[in-house]
Amino acid sequence: MALFEVIVTVLVLVGVVVLILLFERKRAEQIEHDVGEMNRERRQRPERPEE
C-alpha cells in the first residue's frame, strides 16, 4: 500500500507542476502581448518636447 501512495503522490505532484507551467506560459504570452502593445502606442504618440 505504501508504494501505491508514493506513486499517487508523485503523479499528483507532476500534474500540479504541469498545470503551473501551462498557466505561467499563458501569463507570459499575455505580458509579452501587452508590452508590445504599449510599445506600439508609444511609437504612435507624438513625442513631447523635453523641458
Side-chain angles (χ1 to χ4, degrees), residues 11-46:
L11 289 177
V12 168
L13 289 174
V14 169
V16 169
V17 168
V18 168
L19 287 175
I20 289 171
L21 291 175
L22 288 174
F23 175 75
E24 288 298 319
R25 186 181 74 183
K26 289 179 184 179
R27 190 171 145 204
E29 289 172 352
Q30 183 62 40
I31 291 171
E32 186 176 312
H33 176 265
D34 291 346
V35 168
E37 187 175 309
M38 287 171 49
N39 283 335
R40 280 191 298 274
E41 289 175 2
R42 183 176 290 161
R43 279 187 247 132
Q44 290 175 355
R45 276 189 281 162

Side-chain angles (χ1 to χ4, degrees), residues 1-14:
M1 196 66 173
L3 179 61
F4 175 74
E5 292 173 0
V6 170
I7 292 173
V8 169
T9 302
V10 169
L11 289 177
V12 168
L13 289 174
V14 169

